[in-house]
Amino acid sequence: MKPHVSFLPSPGMGHIIPLFQLAKCLVFNHGFQVSFFVITTQSSAAQDQFTRSAAELSPDLNIISLPETDVSGIIFEDMRILTQICVITRESIKSLKPMLIELNPTPVALIIDIFTTDAMEICEELSIPVYSFFTASTPLLALSLYLPTLDFEVEGEFVDLPAPVEIPGCKPMRTEDLLDQLKDRKNDEYKWYLLNVSRLPYAAGILVNTWENLDVQRIAALKQNSFFRSIPTPPVFPIGPLIKEEETLKEKDAEILAWLDNQPCESVLFVALGSGGTLSSKQLIELAWGLEMSKQKFILVVRKPTDANASGTYFTVGSDEDDPSAYLPDGFLEKTSGVGVVVPSWVPQLAVLRHRSTGAFLSHCGWNSALESLVQGVPMIAWPMYAEQRMNSTMLVEEIGVAVKAAAEIGEVVVGRKEIETTVREVMQGEKGKMLRSRAAELKRSANEALDGGGSSYLSLSLLVDIWKSYLKK
Ligand code: UDP
């Protein structure tokens, strides 16, 4: 009998994609059967498309949508995104228990991620071990495991602390780089975050989407530092980088790739801000003119700007086929015709990053985007917007040395067009760009070595596979 593992990602492509990659790896490389639960949200075309194409891959990979729940009375427009995710997740998980009981054979493990920890109680009743796949970066994992202690020790706001936060065994974290959700402890989203991460120690293991050589110091701290051992932190398994392998290409996507085919090698800057990133009107204008002034080739993925919420399209991404000329500055499309391609809402990001004409990636530094760029050997211009993107950006720029940051002037929120022009030129044409490109090539090799037979991530996953197979024998 094939061992059977279930998955339960939080809503959002940034969560679903890495868990699904692992699911496929278990099915195709290790002979597992997988049931992959998906939390249904109202209107994400990207998620719908994913569910449809994933269902056709293998009879051993069963996609199961949890019934859609009516959250109209408990979700409100002004609710922050993380609270919305957690409320929807909690409601959906209410239907999980009977669905798990019905599975035949019973799964040997349930793999959850950061916001689906409500499943732990159900699995305890059903004697199913729970593993947590932490899909974000190691700085956030270390901070999250430390958070209950920080919460206990610090009164008032963390952002008012006079010095960076000292996480045991790790580089101190500047308070401005803290997760957004930790910047206002009175808000509900802080409470949801704290609740979910305080359950991490109850997992049978923590899988993390990175590889040993990318962050030697923090991974060693998580495994060996006396503080983390005392929590106690469950065994940590760096099994990455797991990035998506295929993307569905629409007709307009083929046109973009055909345009890239006609550009010189490494000449194009790819600008995309993840599934949720939405700029303010002022910032979009500065970015557009900064790109134009740099005279570099570009692909710009744009969304209708919003002045309210930097993660504006989290639940609706891919649905929005609006006309960018309505909100890009007058004259921009004419001036950049032939030099740049503007795409509303969504592109097949991996296909663009993989293309030989792509020379750099202006990214919001979501962890999946960062990994996709590293695996393809593409250097980055860091443009963090929300969630844990600032700490990712700091790691990529200051520790790993594969990115530069375009920064707003002190006291300003908006990054000006001149700064954008200079940074883009420096990365695409300058000496700095050459250094970043060579570092990115090293990291691409290092990522592949970790995944290859005998590499650190390959061995971590093999260990887990053996553990799960051994549960079958009991
Ligand atoms: N993505 C994409 N096309 C886009 C924007 C995003 O394919 O136009 C994919 C991207 O390849 C990545 C995911 O969406 O796999 C975004 O995840 P990430 O963790 O980078 O950021 P989030 O969207 O969670 O902020």
Side-chain angles (χ1 to χ4, degrees), residues 253-263 355:
D253 300 329
E255 282 168 25
I256 297 164
L257 297 176
W259 180 81
L260 269 176
D261 286 344
N262 291 323
Q263 309 309 319
H355 200 286

Side-chain angles (χ1 to χ4, degrees), residues 211 239-241 444-460 462:
W211 68 101
I239 57 162
K444 178 179 178 172
R445 275 194 298 278
S446 162
N448 282 323
E449 278 164 18
L451 293 172
D452 282 348
S456 61
S457 294
Y458 175 90
L459 292 175
S460 273
S462 304

Side-chain angles (χ1 to χ4, degrees), residues 14 17 244 247 274-275 346-347 349 364 366-369 372 386:
I17 288 169
K244 62 182 167 182
E247 295 169 312
S275 50
W346 190 261
V347 290
Q349 177 164 303
H364 72 316
W367 191 237
N368 292 295
S369 294
E372 287 161 17
Y386 58 95

Side-chain angles (χ1 to χ4, degrees), residues 12-15 17-18 46 135-136 243-244 247 270-277 301 303 311 314 317 343-351 353 361 363-372 386-389 392:
M13 293 311 290
H15 297 277
I17 288 169
T135 56
I243 59 164
K244 62 182 167 182
E247 295 169 312
F270 172 46
V271 183
L273 302 169
S275 50
V301 183
R303 311 206 165 105
S311 56
Y314 194 86
V317 67
V343 193
S345 191
W346 190 261
V347 290
Q349 177 164 303
L350 198 60
L353 285 172
F361 180 21
S363 168
H364 72 316
C365 303
W367 191 237
N368 292 295
S369 294
L371 289 178
E372 287 161 17
Y386 58 95
E388 88 291 11
Q389 294 156 14
N392 293 349

Side-chain angles (χ1 to χ4, degrees), residues 146 168-170 220-233:
Y146 185 56
C170 304
L222 290 165
K223 289 182 175 180
Q224 291 150 21
N225 181 279
S226 57
F227 167 79
F228 288 104
R229 288 176 77 114
S230 72
I231 291 180
T233 300

